[in-house]
Amino acid sequence: MSEETNGDIQITEVSEENKIKADEARDAANILFRAKKFEAATEKYTEAINLNPNVAAYYANRSFAYFKTEAYGYAVADAEKAVKIDPKYIKGYYRRAAANMALCKFKDARRDFRIVVKKAPGDKDAKDKLAECEKIIRKIEFEKAIEVDSPDKKLAKTLNVDSIVVEPSYDGPRIEDGKITKEFIEKAMEYFKNRKRIHRKYAYQIIIAVQKIMSETPSLVEITIPQDCKLTVCGDIHGQFYDLLNIFKINDLPSEKNMYLFNGDFVDRGSFSIEVILTLFAYKWLYPNSFYLTRGNHETDDMNKVYGFEGEVKAKFEESMFRYFSETFSSLPPAHLINQKILVVHGGLFSRDDVTLDDIRKIDRFDKKQLESDSLLRELLWSDPQLLPGRSPSKRGVGIQFGPDITENFLKRNNLDLLIRSHEVKENGYVIEHNGKCITVFSAPNYCDSMGNKGALINITPDLQLSYKTFEAVPHPDVRPMAYAAHFGGLF
């Protein structure tokens, strides 16, 4: 092969034989993609690109495969290569817009949707997505203009829940005298299961009670497992309420002795997020010292605007309720420490070597600016492990990727034995990496009704023995994932 430069694009001379082989690799990748084997498809698209790096469509196709595995940073990079090779290639701009939307880079996405609409004025789908993108940008700018940062002016302190009237026609479970009970939660779960909503008064009571508990909670929560108890760590649930019910079926309902830690990403994508979060919040209110919730990267405003939770709150209750959820999400701690030896976070580790548990304790999680920079909080929510030593830029475009040496050194520095995290789909529901020092657990089986993965949970005894349960997805009502994500549902 030889290369020549056309502007800032390198054109590689490719033999006819390699062009044919490249097309064959692309065709094989397309078959794998349609079979939802996205990682294998990525490898085949890479093979096509290595054989013939001059074809914009190869990069756009691999961009889409990366997108499906939530490697949005890689998806943006490939889409950019596609439009550099062929500035007239509309799909490249669309792929870049979609990946930037996934990263909540709304202005970058708007730029590309505008290009698509200009080049293809008859594309209604692109017009709808551009309109929705512009709507989100306007809303964010408005919310920033009226944002109240003073903790003394939190919404939860201004709502008079007692003034909300429960209509005589309401036949659902009730919270009496402002106290949550086991019976209320079990009745509420059955109510949710039958596609009914609890009264908004009780939803607000649950949200506000949990916000009060969490606002008094440190950023690093220390958990001690009593001798006659067990602690179950669950990963992402993502609005899959019927799978949450199955977890409680196979692993028993929460109690003071059957402790739970749900490790973030309770909402978004799945279209039963309200049912999930109200159930989890209710249990947190009932068992504040044996039921724990970690903040995930989807317990943030930007993600909720794109991936469906904000729309679901508006559809099932009212738009103003989302702001109460938002405040409560900001109060969730980003890390838990089990028996002084196991650190549990949603995403992963850090871009620096000197981070200590005290640094995590000092995180000001209530400061929204912490999520706009490469802060410890952002890295806790977003980072992922990698097989190779050292650190790499994140495949997601946010946070970092960290190798086994980074995990080993962090654990040694802080006198820890193990890191448990979630954040990534795993075929068997969990995976043990980094010489047994880093475990990923993911509890949303058949994620988004499309990935075919199992879910998993981890049972931990007082002497820190770990055992795993895996489970398949259970049936749910015929509501597609991202049903409340406005015009962006089709992107994901």
Side-chain angles (χ1 to χ4, degrees):
M1 291 186 181
S2 62
E3 294 182 352
E4 58 182 88
T5 302
N6 179 9
D8 62 347
I9 304 167
Q10 283 194 329
I11 305 299
T12 302
E13 185 177 332
V14 179
S15 68
E16 288 302 316
E17 180 184 1
N18 278 358
K19 288 179 181 179
I20 293 170
K21 288 181 178 178
D23 282 345
E24 290 172 348
R26 174 209 57 202
D27 293 343
N30 289 344
I31 292 170
L32 290 167
F33 187 95
R34 287 192 292 271
K36 300 178 180 178
K37 297 179 179 179
F38 301 119
E39 291 185 357
T42 299
E43 293 176 3
K44 275 295 178 181
Y45 287 131
T46 300
E47 183 181 326
I49 288 167
N50 290 339
L51 287 163
N52 184 1
N54 302 329
V55 181
Y58 294 169
Y59 291 98
N61 288 352
R62 190 173 68 175
S63 174
F64 198 22
Y66 279 136
F67 185 96
K68 287 293 189 179
T69 59
E70 301 184 13
Y72 301 127
Y74 291 174
V76 169
D78 267 358
E80 287 177 350
K81 289 174 185 175
V83 298
K84 279 186 178 181
I85 291 171
D86 184 359
K88 297 180 180 179
Y89 186 56
I90 295 175
K91 192 174 286 187
Y93 296 103
Y94 188 93
R95 294 280 178 255
R96 188 166 66 182
N100 275 317
M101 275 303 305
L103 290 167
C104 299
K105 295 181 177 180
F106 303 116
K107 292 183 178 179
D108 290 340
R110 177 176 64 181
R111 174 200 64 201
D112 282 330
F113 282 132
R114 283 175 172 172
I115 292 172
V116 174
V117 169
K118 184 177 180 179
K119 291 179 177 291
D123 190 333
K124 183 180 182 303
D125 178 68
K127 285 182 179 178
D128 288 343
K129 288 180 170 58
L130 172 60
E132 193 66 25
C133 190
E134 289 177 334
K135 180 180 174 182
I136 288 176
I137 291 169
R138 288 194 300 270
K139 187 168 185 178
I140 289 172
E141 290 173 348
F142 173 75
E143 288 171 351
K144 283 184 177 179
I146 65 170
E147 190 172 60
V148 177
D149 288 324
S150 171
D152 296 326
K153 295 183 179 179
K154 292 294 186 184
L155 286 170
K157 295 185 177 182
T158 65
L159 179 65
N160 182 3
V161 177
D162 292 335
S163 68
I164 300 176
V165 176
V166 179
E167 299 80 7
S169 60
Y170 176 71
D171 65 351
R174 296 171 182 260
I175 295 175
E176 304 290 351
D177 301 321
K179 295 180 180 179
I180 194 79
T181 64
K182 178 174 177 284
E183 291 72 25
F184 170 84
I185 300 175
E186 291 178 11
K187 288 178 181 178
M189 287 193 291
E190 189 64 25
Y191 214 61
F192 293 151
K193 183 179 177 182
N194 293 320
R195 306 288 303 283
K196 296 181 179 181
R197 293 189 292 276
I198 62 171
H199 197 276
R200 57 189 282 271
K201 176 174 183 172
Y202 307 131
Y204 276 117
Q205 282 183 295
I206 292 167
I207 298 165
I208 291 169
V210 170
Q211 185 178 144
K212 184 177 186 301
I213 293 169
M214 291 303 193
S215 66
E216 298 168 356
T217 297
S219 288
L220 177 61
V221 178
E222 299 190 23
I223 302 172
T224 299
I225 308 173
Q227 282 304 313
D228 57 346
C229 301
K230 74 172 181 182
L231 173 67
T232 298
V233 179
C234 297
D236 304 37
I237 299 296
H238 274 301
Q240 296 185 198
F241 176 68
Y242 295 84
D243 293 306
L244 175 64
L245 293 181
N246 188 45
I247 288 172
F248 292 151
K249 180 180 178 181
I250 64 176
N251 197 63
D252 295 332
L253 291 171
S255 69
E256 291 177 340
K257 294 192 174 186
N258 194 35
M259 305 164 69
Y260 277 89
L261 167 53
F262 283 85
N263 196 28
D265 282 12
F266 322 117
V267 302
D268 281 338
R269 293 195 179 271
S271 293
F272 305 95
S273 292
I274 277 284
E275 292 80 0
V276 167
I277 196 62
L278 287 178
T279 299
L280 297 180
F281 276 8
Y283 272 122
K284 179 61 186 177
W285 185 8
L286 180 63
Y287 301 122
N289 299 314
S290 60
F291 193 91
Y292 301 92
L293 301 172
T294 310
R295 189 179 190 180
N297 64 302
H298 277 265
E299 279 69 60
T300 54
D301 289 357
D302 286 352
M303 301 296 277
N304 296 159
K305 291 180 189 302
V306 174
Y307 290 91
F309 182 60
E310 184 178 29
E312 185 178 343
V313 176
K314 181 179 179 181
K316 294 181 178 179
F317 284 99
E318 56 197 17
E319 188 170 8
S320 60
M321 186 181 285
F322 176 73
R323 295 174 63 197
Y324 291 84
F325 275 116
S326 174
E327 283 188 356
T328 307
F329 287 166
S330 295
S331 72
L332 295 175
H336 290 79
L337 181 62
I338 302 172
N339 285 21
Q340 299 297 315
K341 286 297 182 181
I342 301 175
L343 182 67
V344 184
V345 304
H346 179 71
L349 298 180
F350 312 100
S351 54
R352 1 182 297 236
D353 285 327
D354 59 349
V355 177
T356 65
L357 294 181
D358 278 341
D359 292 322
I360 298 175
R361 290 186 179 97
K362 293 173 185 175
I363 289 173
D364 181 4
R365 64 188 189 276
F366 301 98
D367 180 4
K368 289 189 175 183
K369 293 179 182 177
Q370 292 288 312
L371 295 173
E372 298 171 2
S373 60
D374 293 330
S375 63
L376 297 185
L377 177 59
R378 199 178 195 195
E379 290 173 347
L380 281 170
L381 301 187
W382 280 94
S383 293
D384 294 294
Q386 64 179 22
L387 294 176
L388 295 175
R391 295 180 176 89
S392 301
S394 172
K395 62 187 178 184
R396 299 175 188 267
V398 188
I400 64 151
Q401 292 178 193
F402 58 97
D405 55 327
I406 304 301
T407 299
E408 183 76 23
N409 292 338
F410 175 82
L411 295 177
K412 281 184 179 178
R413 188 179 309 111
N414 291 284
N415 193 28
L416 300 172
D417 292 340
L418 181 66
L419 174 69
I420 295 178
R421 40 91 62 184
S422 301
H423 195 39
E424 290 183 286
V425 184
K426 297 300 177 184
E427 184 177 356
N428 201 41
Y430 74 98
V431 68
I432 303 171
E433 299 175 285
H434 292 186
N435 303 312
K437 298 294 186 179
C438 178
I439 299 173
T440 298
V441 59
F442 192 85
S443 303
N446 194 26
Y447 180 46
C448 293
D449 290 352
S450 64
M451 298 300 289
N453 61 289
K454 292 180 180 178
L457 53 83
I458 307 174
N459 290 143
I460 305 178
T461 60
D463 59 351
L464 300 185
Q465 296 299 305
L466 276 60
S467 60
Y468 304 87
K469 290 182 181 178
T470 62
F471 47 92
E472 303 282 355
V474 296
H476 64 74
D478 188 18
V479 182
R480 64 177 175 81
M482 302 286 290
Y484 300 95
H487 292 299
F488 290 119
L491 283 178
F492 305 100

